[in-house]
Amino acid sequence: KLSKVEEKRAELEKEAERQQKEIAEMTSRIKELSLAAEEGEKLAAANSEMKAELKNTRVENAELVENYNSERVLRKKYYNVIEDMKGKIRVYCRARPLSGSEKDRGNHSVILSPDEYTIQVQTKRGVREFAYDQVFTPDTRGDQEAVFEDVKMLIQSAVDGYNVCIFAYGQTGSGKTFTMIGDSSGNMPGIAPRAYGNIFSLLEENVKKFSYTVSVYMVELYNDQLLDLFDKAHTTKLEIKKDKKGMVIIQNAIIKDVRNAAELQTVFDAGSKNRHVASTKMNSESSRSHLVVGIVIETTNLTTGAVMKGKLSLVDLAGSERAAKTGATAEQLKEAQSINKSLSALGDVIAALSSEANFVPYRNNKLTMLMQDSLGGNAKTLMFVNISPADYNTDETIVSLVYASRVKLITNDASKNADNKEIARLKGIIAKLKKGESLGEEDDS
């Protein structure tokens, strides 16, 4: 019995030792887990701190990016203001939406405007970026009213006696005529019809201080011929001249006096019916000529008798063309050759002016003679470069933007066209004598 008891005791002792070992191991494990838990709590706390710091960093980075972008936009804005003060030509870029035919072809947009002064184009060689005085896209301030808001200041300048020119350039079908004239229905008027109303609004505001007269001529350059759109039969040969102050005038052109915006719009509509247009694959109503509308605004100060004479030239250039894309007929090919020739001459003038060459070849083409006072002359000038957003037209878009960047380098010398009362009286007498009219008592005083 004793041996059995001893055996049992030995077994119990072994079991106790085993359990003690297990307890020791468990105690050690619990300590390890406690330490791990403490480490975990510390890591969790650190993680929370890091998350909070990361969130703060992201907020700070967002603020920095926003501040950087704001500074960048302001820098461009003030740069443009300084360039404008120097007399630099303003250049606005406007991109139209994708057309229905482009969507049907599966084309996509390759343009992006990160801010109101920058346009980016995705090309096969990467992104190309261009900066202008304003950029208008369908997604950013692209409607007609917003565009005109940035033009109104120049209409005021014309009323104040300055020579002002606004012209649109770009490939055929890029939206030039829509920008300058508007849609065919008249529901979305462009710069010209809006300017007509604005001119007379500004004049009527000061009717107690100034008397005024407004007159208009309208010509087109078609197949190297300068044609008067107020003379459907084109019976008179027109000559391009410059007055003593450097302002371009069209000798022998019919000039119509208008008393209000409605009359101005009426004579413009009548002249527009005589303009050459045709349908091509790129544009259902493609302009086949360069259009120039000249509005002369003469005001007389009722107190001092001082006379100011401003001119607003609205120019809708025909688009540069590639015959393979337009599907032009034989006659349209002849028109396209004339258009491209004149635009090439315009490019030569722009290149000469932007490089400050000693000789500027204005006389190489009638178009450059017409625009002589607007490019490097005495005008306040605004150029719209109209572009297509489609990948199908990327090459043409880049060419137009490079062209516009050169224009932005040109400096004009704008000044008011003002005469005092005596000079204005003498000019009136000379004009009457040239016409063979007799002089009145007021001319002798």
Side-chain angles (χ1 to χ4, degrees):
K1 287 183 179 178
L2 186 60
S3 61
K4 288 182 178 179
V5 171
E6 287 178 350
E7 287 177 5
K8 187 67 176 174
R9 184 171 64 80
E11 289 176 3
L12 291 170
E13 286 177 351
K14 284 181 179 179
E15 181 64 23
E17 285 179 9
R18 187 182 65 77
Q19 289 182 358
Q20 283 178 351
K21 284 181 179 179
E22 287 182 359
I23 289 168
E25 288 175 358
M26 289 176 69
T27 302
S28 175
R29 183 65 177 160
I30 289 169
K31 286 181 179 179
E32 289 176 0
L33 289 172
S34 296
L35 291 172
E38 288 178 8
E39 282 295 319
E41 288 176 359
K42 289 179 181 179
L43 288 172
N47 187 42
S48 295
E49 288 179 7
M50 287 178 67
K51 283 183 177 178
E53 288 178 5
L54 181 60
K55 186 177 180 180
N56 290 334
T57 301
R58 283 175 177 167
V59 171
E60 290 174 1
N61 284 344
E63 290 176 354
L64 286 171
V65 169
E66 185 178 351
N67 290 338
Y68 169 74
N69 288 334
S70 297
E71 290 289 337
R72 188 170 60 124
V73 170
L74 282 173
R75 188 168 65 250
K76 291 178 181 177
K77 178 181 178 180
Y78 294 136
Y79 172 79
N80 290 338
V81 170
I82 292 169
E83 292 297 285
D84 186 44
M85 291 171 68
K86 291 178 183 176
K88 295 288 186 181
I89 292 178
R90 294 183 183 91
V91 178
Y92 290 177
C93 174
R94 190 180 192 190
R96 62 164 172 78
L98 283 169
S99 67
S101 61
E102 288 167 344
K103 291 177 181 176
D104 292 341
R105 265 198 309 264
N107 295 130
H108 64 274
S109 176
V110 292
I111 64 166
L112 178 68
S113 178
D115 58 62
E116 60 191 286
Y117 304 109
T118 310
I119 189 83
Q120 295 174 339
V121 184
Q122 180 65 53
T123 72
K124 292 178 181 178
R125 296 184 178 181
V127 176
R128 291 197 62 177
E129 185 172 285
F130 300 85
Y132 301 106
D133 296 276
Q134 285 289 332
V135 172
F136 302 93
T137 67
D139 301 324
T140 58
R141 302 167 64 245
D143 62 11
Q144 297 282 67
E145 188 173 350
V147 170
F148 186 69
E149 277 299 312
D150 278 312
V151 174
K152 287 170 73 173
M153 55 187 173
L154 287 173
I155 310 302
Q156 178 70 66
S157 292
V159 172
D160 289 342
Y162 286 94
N163 182 17
V164 174
C165 177
I166 303 172
F167 72 98
Y169 171 85
Q171 75 172 119
T172 187
S174 59
K176 299 180 299 300
T177 299
F178 179 75
T179 294
M180 295 301 297
I181 313 300
D183 63 328
S184 56
S185 66
N187 293 325
M188 292 181 282
I191 289 169
R194 291 174 187 271
Y196 303 157
N198 193 228
I199 287 170
F200 284 95
S201 293
L202 292 169
L203 290 170
E204 285 299 316
E205 285 177 6
N206 294 291
V207 73
K208 292 181 179 179
K209 298 178 182 178
F210 297 91
S211 63
Y212 64 83
T213 60
V214 179
S215 56
V216 58
Y217 63 84
M218 194 170 173
V219 299
E220 71 170 352
L221 184 59
Y222 175 72
N223 279 350
D224 299 325
Q225 289 183 304
L226 192 60
L227 306 176
D228 192 334
L229 293 178
F230 292 152
D231 176 16
K232 193 173 183 179
H234 306 308
T235 54
T236 306
K237 184 180 179 181
L238 305 183
E239 298 286 346
I240 303 168
K241 303 288 185 180
K242 288 174 70 178
D243 66 14
K244 292 180 179 179
K245 294 187 178 179
M247 183 186 291
V248 169
I249 55 176
I250 312 297
Q251 201 170 68
N252 302 324
I254 295 173
I255 300 174
K256 297 197 173 186
D257 293 327
V258 289
R259 294 169 295 179
N260 51 55
E263 283 190 8
L264 184 47
Q265 184 66 53
T266 298
V267 297
F268 172 79
D269 290 340
S272 295
K273 290 177 182 177
N274 298 326
R275 189 183 182 190
H276 289 82
V277 296
S279 176
T280 71
K281 288 182 179 180
M282 293 292 289
N283 191 353
S284 60
E285 291 187 10
S286 174
S287 303
R288 314 309 296 164
S289 66
H290 305 302
L291 171 69
V292 178
V293 180
I295 304 168
V296 179
I297 306 158
E298 189 169 304
T299 60
T300 303
N301 189 305
L302 298 176
T303 303
T304 65
V307 177
M308 291 189 297
K309 188 176 182 180
K311 184 179 79 165
L312 173 62
S313 297
L314 301 171
V315 184
D316 180 21
L317 296 176
S320 55
E321 296 188 2
R322 289 189 180 182
K325 283 190 175 183
T326 60
T329 63
E331 181 62 26
Q332 289 171 353
L333 281 173
K334 181 183 176 183
E335 294 167 346
Q337 287 172 355
S338 174
I339 291 167
N340 290 339
K341 179 184 174 183
S342 60
L343 291 175
S344 177
L346 184 60
D348 292 340
V349 166
I350 289 168
L353 289 168
S354 60
S355 63
E356 298 183 354
N358 292 328
F359 174 71
V360 181
Y362 287 116
R363 301 191 66 82
N364 284 1
N365 193 273
K366 289 180 181 177
L367 175 62
T368 48
M369 291 173 68
L370 276 171
M371 299 187 68
Q372 188 169 352
D373 58 350
S374 304
L375 298 170
N378 66 350
K380 289 189 174 185
T381 301
L382 167 61
M383 171 189 183
F384 274 92
V385 55
N386 290 87
I387 60 172
S388 160
D391 56 325
Y392 176 69
N393 293 316
T394 300
D395 290 344
E396 289 87 347
T397 294
I398 292 295
V399 168
S400 294
L401 294 175
V402 169
Y403 198 100
S405 295
R406 286 183 178 178
V407 173
K408 204 172 182 315
L409 299 174
I410 299 172
T411 301
N412 285 355
D413 184 19
S415 58
K416 281 189 179 182
N417 298 304
D419 291 326
N420 62 33
K421 185 177 181 179
E422 181 61 18
I423 293 174
R425 188 181 72 83
L426 292 172
K427 283 185 174 180
I429 292 172
I430 292 169
K432 284 184 177 181
L433 291 172
K434 281 183 176 179
K435 293 179 181 179
E437 298 176 3
S438 58
L439 302 180
E441 291 182 6
E442 69 280 2
D443 296 317
D444 296 326
S445 59

